[in-house]
Amino acid sequence: MISLTLFLLGLMTPDSDAAVADAPRSGSYAELSEDGRSTCGQADSNRFELLLAPGGEPPHNRSTNVGEIEIRIEGERHYFVLTATPDRWQFGGGRQHTVGIELGGVTSAFLTGRLTLNLERARSSADPSVRTDALRILDARYSPVRRGHNRSMRVYVADGATPGGRMLRPFLRCGDYPE
């Protein structure tokens, strides 16, 4: 009976080791230059800082918050708290609205607004044998109101491009999330 219970629990577990490995990694990311070189050392490059809770699971009992992201696209910097979705490459979230308890860098604070963030794994080289941690931002949108007109929606990235229409190149992982 115990082995049957353990077997059933294993089926219900949402994450296997492979699923956890197939998720974005926390770290500092910078957009590759036009010629494919790293821009990690350039302060004015498009970049983002991503912090995710270990295993992608909320560290708080009463919160779905799983991390944070600071995005700098075309010189504008924006900070958001991330919430979990069933897809480890998509996130909800918003801006921190209340004070919360922080565990492992993840706050349990209540959020305001509505963030939609979609990431995907990317190749940083045309040579498929070159393996690096690189991500693409497919979509990043924020509305300061949870419900309402789309006029309030702020689009940072849509279909992999800036609001001006420039396609973003892959973002190369430069190192761990800054402390």
Side-chain angles (χ1 to χ4, degrees), residues 13-48:
T13 303
D15 298 320
S16 66
D17 290 339
V20 172
D22 187 32
R25 284 182 59 194
S26 292
S28 178
Y29 291 81
E31 185 182 24
L32 291 172
S33 67
E34 288 183 43
D35 61 3
R37 289 183 293 143
S38 170
T39 61
C40 289
Q42 297 177 10
D44 62 343
S45 65
N46 288 335
R47 55 190 332 113
F48 62 91

PDB file of all heavy atoms in Angstrom, residues 13-48:
ATOM      1  N   THR A  13       3.505  14.751  -8.798  1.00  0.00           N
ATOM      2  CA  THR A  13       4.541  15.754  -8.638  1.00  0.00           C
ATOM      3  C   THR A  13       4.681  16.535  -9.938  1.00  0.00           C
ATOM      4  O   THR A  13       4.933  15.948 -10.985  1.00  0.00           O
ATOM      5  CB  THR A  13       5.887  15.097  -8.273  1.00  0.00           C
ATOM      6  OG1 THR A  13       5.695  14.336  -7.101  1.00  0.00           O
ATOM      7  CG2 THR A  13       6.965  16.133  -8.066  1.00  0.00           C
ATOM      8  N   PRO A  14       4.516  17.859  -9.917  1.00  0.00           N
ATOM      9  CA  PRO A  14       4.530  18.628 -11.150  1.00  0.00           C
ATOM     10  C   PRO A  14       5.899  18.743 -11.790  1.00  0.00           C
ATOM     11  O   PRO A  14       6.000  19.020 -12.954  1.00  0.00           O
ATOM     12  CB  PRO A  14       4.030  20.011 -10.709  1.00  0.00           C
ATOM     13  CG  PRO A  14       4.331  20.085  -9.256  1.00  0.00           C
ATOM     14  CD  PRO A  14       4.278  18.675  -8.746  1.00  0.00           C
ATOM     15  N   ASP A  15       6.959  18.564 -11.031  1.00  0.00           N
ATOM     16  CA  ASP A  15       8.291  18.800 -11.566  1.00  0.00           C
ATOM     17  C   ASP A  15       9.180  17.586 -11.388  1.00  0.00           C
ATOM     18  O   ASP A  15       9.314  17.062 -10.300  1.00  0.00           O
ATOM     19  CB  ASP A  15       8.966  19.967 -10.836  1.00  0.00           C
ATOM     20  CG  ASP A  15       8.198  21.250 -11.014  1.00  0.00           C
ATOM     21  OD1 ASP A  15       7.719  21.469 -12.136  1.00  0.00           O
ATOM     22  OD2 ASP A  15       8.067  21.996 -10.041  1.00  0.00           O
ATOM     23  N   SER A  16       9.797  17.194 -12.463  1.00  0.00           N
ATOM     24  CA  SER A  16      10.875  16.220 -12.374  1.00  0.00           C
ATOM     25  C   SER A  16      12.173  16.990 -12.491  1.00  0.00           C
ATOM     26  O   SER A  16      12.179  18.178 -12.754  1.00  0.00           O
ATOM     27  CB  SER A  16      10.748  15.200 -13.516  1.00  0.00           C
ATOM     28  OG  SER A  16      10.968  15.846 -14.749  1.00  0.00           O
ATOM     29  N   ASP A  17      13.299  16.312 -12.318  1.00  0.00           N
ATOM     30  CA  ASP A  17      14.580  16.997 -12.464  1.00  0.00           C
ATOM     31  C   ASP A  17      14.732  17.583 -13.864  1.00  0.00           C
ATOM     32  O   ASP A  17      15.271  18.658 -14.047  1.00  0.00           O
ATOM     33  CB  ASP A  17      15.737  16.037 -12.177  1.00  0.00           C
ATOM     34  CG  ASP A  17      15.808  15.670 -10.707  1.00  0.00           C
ATOM     35  OD1 ASP A  17      15.254  16.429  -9.876  1.00  0.00           O
ATOM     36  OD2 ASP A  17      16.400  14.631 -10.384  1.00  0.00           O
ATOM     37  N   ALA A  18      14.214  16.874 -14.873  1.00  0.00           N
ATOM     38  CA  ALA A  18      14.321  17.368 -16.240  1.00  0.00           C
ATOM     39  C   ALA A  18      13.506  18.644 -16.423  1.00  0.00           C
ATOM     40  O   ALA A  18      13.924  19.569 -17.100  1.00  0.00           O
ATOM     41  CB  ALA A  18      13.854  16.299 -17.228  1.00  0.00           C
ATOM     42  N   ALA A  19      12.322  18.694 -15.805  1.00  0.00           N
ATOM     43  CA  ALA A  19      11.482  19.881 -15.942  1.00  0.00           C
ATOM     44  C   ALA A  19      12.130  21.088 -15.288  1.00  0.00           C
ATOM     45  O   ALA A  19      12.060  22.193 -15.796  1.00  0.00           O
ATOM     46  CB  ALA A  19      10.102  19.631 -15.332  1.00  0.00           C
ATOM     47  N   VAL A  20      12.770  20.896 -14.133  1.00  0.00           N
ATOM     48  CA  VAL A  20      13.437  21.996 -13.461  1.00  0.00           C
ATOM     49  C   VAL A  20      14.625  22.470 -14.289  1.00  0.00           C
ATOM     50  O   VAL A  20      14.889  23.656 -14.398  1.00  0.00           O
ATOM     51  CB  VAL A  20      13.873  21.589 -12.036  1.00  0.00           C
ATOM     52  CG1 VAL A  20      14.743  22.652 -11.406  1.00  0.00           C
ATOM     53  CG2 VAL A  20      12.642  21.326 -11.174  1.00  0.00           C
ATOM     54  N   ALA A  21      15.349  21.518 -14.902  1.00  0.00           N
ATOM     55  CA  ALA A  21      16.501  21.890 -15.726  1.00  0.00           C
ATOM     56  C   ALA A  21      16.053  22.637 -16.981  1.00  0.00           C
ATOM     57  O   ALA A  21      16.785  23.446 -17.512  1.00  0.00           O
ATOM     58  CB  ALA A  21      17.303  20.650 -16.102  1.00  0.00           C
ATOM     59  N   ASP A  22      14.846  22.348 -17.465  1.00  0.00           N
ATOM     60  CA  ASP A  22      14.342  23.000 -18.655  1.00  0.00           C
ATOM     61  C   ASP A  22      13.565  24.253 -18.263  1.00  0.00           C
ATOM     62  O   ASP A  22      12.351  24.332 -18.408  1.00  0.00           O
ATOM     63  CB  ASP A  22      13.452  22.060 -19.460  1.00  0.00           C
ATOM     64  CG  ASP A  22      13.049  22.665 -20.793  1.00  0.00           C
ATOM     65  OD1 ASP A  22      13.845  23.429 -21.367  1.00  0.00           O
ATOM     66  OD2 ASP A  22      11.934  22.383 -21.241  1.00  0.00           O
ATOM     67  N   ALA A  23      14.283  25.197 -17.723  1.00  0.00           N
ATOM     68  CA  ALA A  23      13.699  26.465 -17.283  1.00  0.00           C
ATOM     69  C   ALA A  23      14.785  27.527 -17.351  1.00  0.00           C
ATOM     70  O   ALA A  23      15.972  27.216 -17.370  1.00  0.00           O
ATOM     71  CB  ALA A  23      13.170  26.325 -15.860  1.00  0.00           C
ATOM     72  N   PRO A  24      14.397  28.781 -17.398  1.00  0.00           N
ATOM     73  CA  PRO A  24      15.408  29.839 -17.403  1.00  0.00           C
ATOM     74  C   PRO A  24      16.256  29.787 -16.133  1.00  0.00           C
ATOM     75  O   PRO A  24      15.782  29.372 -15.083  1.00  0.00           O
ATOM     76  CB  PRO A  24      14.587  31.130 -17.443  1.00  0.00           C
ATOM     77  CG  PRO A  24      13.205  30.744 -17.754  1.00  0.00           C
ATOM     78  CD  PRO A  24      13.043  29.311 -17.419  1.00  0.00           C
ATOM     79  N   ARG A  25      17.507  30.202 -16.248  1.00  0.00           N
ATOM     80  CA  ARG A  25      18.411  30.285 -15.097  1.00  0.00           C
ATOM     81  C   ARG A  25      18.497  31.707 -14.602  1.00  0.00           C
ATOM     82  O   ARG A  25      18.522  32.645 -15.393  1.00  0.00           O
ATOM     83  CB  ARG A  25      19.827  29.841 -15.492  1.00  0.00           C
ATOM     84  CG  ARG A  25      19.996  28.363 -15.625  1.00  0.00           C
ATOM     85  CD  ARG A  25      21.419  27.993 -15.965  1.00  0.00           C
ATOM     86  NE  ARG A  25      22.352  28.463 -14.947  1.00  0.00           N
ATOM     87  CZ  ARG A  25      23.659  28.522 -15.120  1.00  0.00           C
ATOM     88  NH1 ARG A  25      24.201  28.168 -16.258  1.00  0.00           N
ATOM     89  NH2 ARG A  25      24.442  28.951 -14.147  1.00  0.00           N
ATOM     90  N   SER A  26      18.564  31.841 -13.300  1.00  0.00           N
ATOM     91  CA  SER A  26      18.794  33.165 -12.725  1.00  0.00           C
ATOM     92  C   SER A  26      20.132  33.689 -13.226  1.00  0.00           C
ATOM     93  O   SER A  26      21.054  32.920 -13.478  1.00  0.00           O
ATOM     94  CB  SER A  26      18.837  33.075 -11.198  1.00  0.00           C
ATOM     95  OG  SER A  26      17.583  32.742 -10.680  1.00  0.00           O
ATOM     96  N   GLY A  27      20.221  34.994 -13.355  1.00  0.00           N
ATOM     97  CA  GLY A  27      21.491  35.584 -13.750  1.00  0.00           C
ATOM     98  C   GLY A  27      21.316  36.932 -14.395  1.00  0.00           C
ATOM     99  O   GLY A  27      20.217  37.460 -14.527  1.00  0.00           O
ATOM    100  N   SER A  28      22.437  37.475 -14.798  1.00  0.00           N
ATOM    101  CA  SER A  28      22.505  38.742 -15.497  1.00  0.00           C
ATOM    102  C   SER A  28      22.673  38.434 -16.985  1.00  0.00           C
ATOM    103  O   SER A  28      23.546  37.654 -17.359  1.00  0.00           O
ATOM    104  CB  SER A  28      23.696  39.540 -14.966  1.00  0.00           C
ATOM    105  OG  SER A  28      23.815  40.750 -15.644  1.00  0.00           O
ATOM    106  N   TYR A  29      21.838  39.027 -17.823  1.00  0.00           N
ATOM    107  CA  TYR A  29      21.848  38.750 -19.259  1.00  0.00           C
ATOM    108  C   TYR A  29      22.000  40.052 -20.030  1.00  0.00           C
ATOM    109  O   TYR A  29      21.407  41.068 -19.664  1.00  0.00           O
ATOM    110  CB  TYR A  29      20.533  38.092 -19.682  1.00  0.00           C
ATOM    111  CG  TYR A  29      20.342  36.687 -19.167  1.00  0.00           C
ATOM    112  CD1 TYR A  29      19.890  36.460 -17.875  1.00  0.00           C
ATOM    113  CD2 TYR A  29      20.608  35.590 -19.965  1.00  0.00           C
ATOM    114  CE1 TYR A  29      19.707  35.182 -17.393  1.00  0.00           C
ATOM    115  CE2 TYR A  29      20.421  34.292 -19.493  1.00  0.00           C
ATOM    116  CZ  TYR A  29      19.973  34.101 -18.212  1.00  0.00           C
ATOM    117  OH  TYR A  29      19.790  32.823 -17.742  1.00  0.00           O
ATOM    118  N   ALA A  30      22.789  40.020 -21.111  1.00  0.00           N
ATOM    119  CA  ALA A  30      22.973  41.198 -21.965  1.00  0.00           C
ATOM    120  C   ALA A  30      22.775  40.792 -23.421  1.00  0.00           C
ATOM    121  O   ALA A  30      23.203  39.715 -23.846  1.00  0.00           O
ATOM    122  CB  ALA A  30      24.367  41.797 -21.767  1.00  0.00           C
ATOM    123  N   GLU A  31      22.150  41.679 -24.190  1.00  0.00           N
ATOM    124  CA  GLU A  31      21.881  41.409 -25.603  1.00  0.00           C
ATOM    125  C   GLU A  31      23.190  41.340 -26.385  1.00  0.00           C
ATOM    126  O   GLU A  31      24.095  42.161 -26.184  1.00  0.00           O
ATOM    127  CB  GLU A  31      20.985  42.507 -26.180  1.00  0.00           C
ATOM    128  CG  GLU A  31      20.574  42.240 -27.606  1.00  0.00           C
ATOM    129  CD  GLU A  31      19.720  43.354 -28.192  1.00  0.00           C
ATOM    130  OE1 GLU A  31      19.796  44.507 -27.714  1.00  0.00           O
ATOM    131  OE2 GLU A  31      18.991  43.072 -29.163  1.00  0.00           O
ATOM    132  N   LEU A  32      23.291  40.376 -27.277  1.00  0.00           N
ATOM    133  CA  LEU A  32      24.465  40.265 -28.132  1.00  0.00           C
ATOM    134  C   LEU A  32      24.533  41.461 -29.076  1.00  0.00           C
ATOM    135  O   LEU A  32      23.505  42.018 -29.471  1.00  0.00           O
ATOM    136  CB  LEU A  32      24.406  38.975 -28.956  1.00  0.00           C
ATOM    137  CG  LEU A  32      24.571  37.676 -28.173  1.00  0.00           C
ATOM    138  CD1 LEU A  32      24.287  36.481 -29.066  1.00  0.00           C
ATOM    139  CD2 LEU A  32      25.968  37.585 -27.597  1.00  0.00           C
ATOM    140  N   SER A  33      25.754  41.842 -29.461  1.00  0.00           N
ATOM    141  CA  SER A  33      25.922  42.943 -30.414  1.00  0.00           C
ATOM    142  C   SER A  33      25.529  42.469 -31.815  1.00  0.00           C
ATOM    143  O   SER A  33      25.311  41.278 -32.046  1.00  0.00           O
ATOM    144  CB  SER A  33      27.378  43.424 -30.416  1.00  0.00           C
ATOM    145  OG  SER A  33      28.207  42.413 -30.948  1.00  0.00           O
ATOM    146  N   GLU A  34      25.451  43.390 -32.752  1.00  0.00           N
ATOM    147  CA  GLU A  34      25.073  43.049 -34.124  1.00  0.00           C
ATOM    148  C   GLU A  34      26.004  42.016 -34.737  1.00  0.00           C
ATOM    149  O   GLU A  34      25.580  41.194 -35.538  1.00  0.00           O
ATOM    150  CB  GLU A  34      25.039  44.301 -34.995  1.00  0.00           C
ATOM    151  CG  GLU A  34      23.868  45.200 -34.699  1.00  0.00           C
ATOM    152  CD  GLU A  34      23.822  46.392 -35.628  1.00  0.00           C
ATOM    153  OE1 GLU A  34      24.035  46.222 -36.845  1.00  0.00           O
ATOM    154  OE2 GLU A  34      23.579  47.498 -35.129  1.00  0.00           O
ATOM    155  N   ASP A  35      27.292  42.068 -34.358  1.00  0.00           N
ATOM    156  CA  ASP A  35      28.239  41.101 -34.920  1.00  0.00           C
ATOM    157  C   ASP A  35      28.365  39.837 -34.068  1.00  0.00           C
ATOM    158  O   ASP A  35      29.251  39.021 -34.295  1.00  0.00           O
ATOM    159  CB  ASP A  35      29.609  41.749 -35.138  1.00  0.00           C
ATOM    160  CG  ASP A  35      30.253  42.252 -33.863  1.00  0.00           C
ATOM    161  OD1 ASP A  35      29.670  42.055 -32.778  1.00  0.00           O
ATOM    162  OD2 ASP A  35      31.334  42.862 -33.947  1.00  0.00           O
ATOM    163  N   GLY A  36      27.488  39.670 -33.083  1.00  0.00           N
ATOM    164  CA  GLY A  36      27.443  38.442 -32.296  1.00  0.00           C
ATOM    165  C   GLY A  36      28.345  38.414 -31.082  1.00  0.00           C
ATOM    166  O   GLY A  36      28.451  37.386 -30.420  1.00  0.00           O
ATOM    167  N   ARG A  37      29.003  39.525 -30.768  1.00  0.00           N
ATOM    168  CA  ARG A  37      29.879  39.564 -29.595  1.00  0.00           C
ATOM    169  C   ARG A  37      29.086  39.876 -28.336  1.00  0.00           C
ATOM    170  O   ARG A  37      28.033  40.495 -28.379  1.00  0.00           O
ATOM    171  CB  ARG A  37      30.984  40.598 -29.787  1.00  0.00           C
ATOM    172  CG  ARG A  37      32.028  40.172 -30.816  1.00  0.00           C
ATOM    173  CD  ARG A  37      33.137  41.174 -30.942  1.00  0.00           C
ATOM    174  NE  ARG A  37      32.579  42.396 -31.521  1.00  0.00           N
ATOM    175  CZ  ARG A  37      32.944  43.621 -31.193  1.00  0.00           C
ATOM    176  NH1 ARG A  37      33.887  43.815 -30.294  1.00  0.00           N
ATOM    177  NH2 ARG A  37      32.398  44.672 -31.755  1.00  0.00           N
ATOM    178  N   SER A  38      29.643  39.484 -27.207  1.00  0.00           N
ATOM    179  CA  SER A  38      29.034  39.753 -25.913  1.00  0.00           C
ATOM    180  C   SER A  38      29.081  41.243 -25.606  1.00  0.00           C
ATOM    181  O   SER A  38      30.058  41.915 -25.906  1.00  0.00           O
ATOM    182  CB  SER A  38      29.786  38.993 -24.828  1.00  0.00           C
ATOM    183  OG  SER A  38      29.370  39.411 -23.550  1.00  0.00           O
ATOM    184  N   THR A  39      28.015  41.748 -24.984  1.00  0.00           N
ATOM    185  CA  THR A  39      27.986  43.132 -24.519  1.00  0.00           C
ATOM    186  C   THR A  39      27.890  43.170 -22.992  1.00  0.00           C
ATOM    187  O   THR A  39      27.465  44.175 -22.422  1.00  0.00           O
ATOM    188  CB  THR A  39      26.799  43.912 -25.130  1.00  0.00           C
ATOM    189  OG1 THR A  39      25.582  43.287 -24.715  1.00  0.00           O
ATOM    190  CG2 THR A  39      26.882  43.945 -26.644  1.00  0.00           C
ATOM    191  N   CYS A  40      28.305  42.085 -22.350  1.00  0.00           N
ATOM    192  CA  CYS A  40      28.190  41.999 -20.894  1.00  0.00           C
ATOM    193  C   CYS A  40      28.908  43.141 -20.187  1.00  0.00           C
ATOM    194  O   CYS A  40      28.444  43.621 -19.160  1.00  0.00           O
ATOM    195  CB  CYS A  40      28.729  40.665 -20.399  1.00  0.00           C
ATOM    196  SG  CYS A  40      27.664  39.265 -20.825  1.00  0.00           S
ATOM    197  N   GLY A  41      30.019  43.603 -20.714  1.00  0.00           N
ATOM    198  CA  GLY A  41      30.787  44.662 -20.071  1.00  0.00           C
ATOM    199  C   GLY A  41      30.340  46.067 -20.429  1.00  0.00           C
ATOM    200  O   GLY A  41      30.903  47.036 -19.929  1.00  0.00           O
ATOM    201  N   GLN A  42      29.333  46.204 -21.281  1.00  0.00           N
ATOM    202  CA  GLN A  42      28.880  47.521 -21.704  1.00  0.00           C
ATOM    203  C   GLN A  42      27.677  47.953 -20.872  1.00  0.00           C
ATOM    204  O   GLN A  42      26.632  47.305 -20.888  1.00  0.00           O
ATOM    205  CB  GLN A  42      28.503  47.504 -23.184  1.00  0.00           C
ATOM    206  CG  GLN A  42      29.673  47.199 -24.093  1.00  0.00           C
ATOM    207  CD  GLN A  42      29.246  47.117 -25.542  1.00  0.00           C
ATOM    208  OE1 GLN A  42      28.132  47.461 -25.899  1.00  0.00           O
ATOM    209  NE2 GLN A  42      30.149  46.647 -26.389  1.00  0.00           N
ATOM    210  N   ALA A  43      27.825  49.049 -20.175  1.00  0.00           N
ATOM    211  CA  ALA A  43      26.780  49.515 -19.258  1.00  0.00           C
ATOM    212  C   ALA A  43      25.512  49.957 -19.989  1.00  0.00           C
ATOM    213  O   ALA A  43      24.428  49.919 -19.416  1.00  0.00           O
ATOM    214  CB  ALA A  43      27.310  50.660 -18.413  1.00  0.00           C
ATOM    215  N   ASP A  44      25.622  50.355 -21.253  1.00  0.00           N
ATOM    216  CA  ASP A  44      24.458  50.881 -21.964  1.00  0.00           C
ATOM    217  C   ASP A  44      23.745  49.835 -22.829  1.00  0.00           C
ATOM    218  O   ASP A  44      22.831  50.161 -23.568  1.00  0.00           O
ATOM    219  CB  ASP A  44      24.859  52.077 -22.817  1.00  0.00           C
ATOM    220  CG  ASP A  44      25.880  51.707 -23.883  1.00  0.00           C
ATOM    221  OD1 ASP A  44      26.520  50.642 -23.770  1.00  0.00           O
ATOM    222  OD2 ASP A  44      26.048  52.504 -24.831  1.00  0.00           O
ATOM    223  N   SER A  45      24.132  48.564 -22.731  1.00  0.00           N
ATOM    224  CA  SER A  45      23.506  47.532 -23.555  1.00  0.00           C
ATOM    225  C   SER A  45      22.121  47.187 -23.009  1.00  0.00           C
ATOM    226  O   SER A  45      21.823  47.387 -21.833  1.00  0.00           O
ATOM    227  CB  SER A  45      24.377  46.273 -23.590  1.00  0.00           C
ATOM    228  OG  SER A  45      24.456  45.694 -22.305  1.00  0.00           O
ATOM    229  N   ASN A  46      21.266  46.672 -23.901  1.00  0.00           N
ATOM    230  CA  ASN A  46      19.988  46.129 -23.447  1.00  0.00           C
ATOM    231  C   ASN A  46      20.302  44.918 -22.587  1.00  0.00           C
ATOM    232  O   ASN A  46      21.135  44.087 -22.937  1.00  0.00           O
ATOM    233  CB  ASN A  46      19.122  45.705 -24.625  1.00  0.00           C
ATOM    234  CG  ASN A  46      18.557  46.868 -25.400  1.00  0.00           C
ATOM    235  OD1 ASN A  46      18.406  47.957 -24.870  1.00  0.00           O
ATOM    236  ND2 ASN A  46      18.249  46.641 -26.661  1.00  0.00           N
ATOM    237  N   ARG A  47      19.636  44.809 -21.423  1.00  0.00           N
ATOM    238  CA  ARG A  47      19.959  43.721 -20.505  1.00  0.00           C
ATOM    239  C   ARG A  47      18.805  43.458 -19.568  1.00  0.00           C
ATOM    240  O   ARG A  47      17.866  44.241 -19.486  1.00  0.00           O
ATOM    241  CB  ARG A  47      21.225  44.014 -19.724  1.00  0.00           C
ATOM    242  CG  ARG A  47      21.226  45.304 -18.969  1.00  0.00           C
ATOM    243  CD  ARG A  47      22.581  45.708 -18.376  1.00  0.00           C
ATOM    244  NE  ARG A  47      23.489  44.656 -18.036  1.00  0.00           N
ATOM    245  CZ  ARG A  47      24.657  44.418 -18.659  1.00  0.00           C
ATOM    246  NH1 ARG A  47      25.046  45.203 -19.625  1.00  0.00           N
ATOM    247  NH2 ARG A  47      25.429  43.427 -18.294  1.00  0.00           N
ATOM    248  N   PHE A  48      18.891  42.345 -18.847  1.00  0.00           N
ATOM    249  CA  PHE A  48      17.955  42.092 -17.756  1.00  0.00           C
ATOM    250  C   PHE A  48      18.633  41.257 -16.694  1.00  0.00           C
ATOM    251  O   PHE A  48      19.581  40.524 -16.958  1.00  0.00           O
ATOM    252  CB  PHE A  48      16.641  41.455 -18.235  1.00  0.00           C
ATOM    253  CG  PHE A  48      16.760  40.101 -18.877  1.00  0.00           C
ATOM    254  CD1 PHE A  48      16.664  38.940 -18.116  1.00  0.00           C
ATOM    255  CD2 PHE A  48      16.906  39.977 -20.244  1.00  0.00           C
ATOM    256  CE1 PHE A  48      16.740  37.694 -18.711  1.00  0.00           C
ATOM    257  CE2 PHE A  48      16.992  38.736 -20.852  1.00  0.00           C
ATOM    258  CZ  PHE A  48      16.899  37.588 -20.075  1.00  0.00           C
TER     259      PHE A  48
END
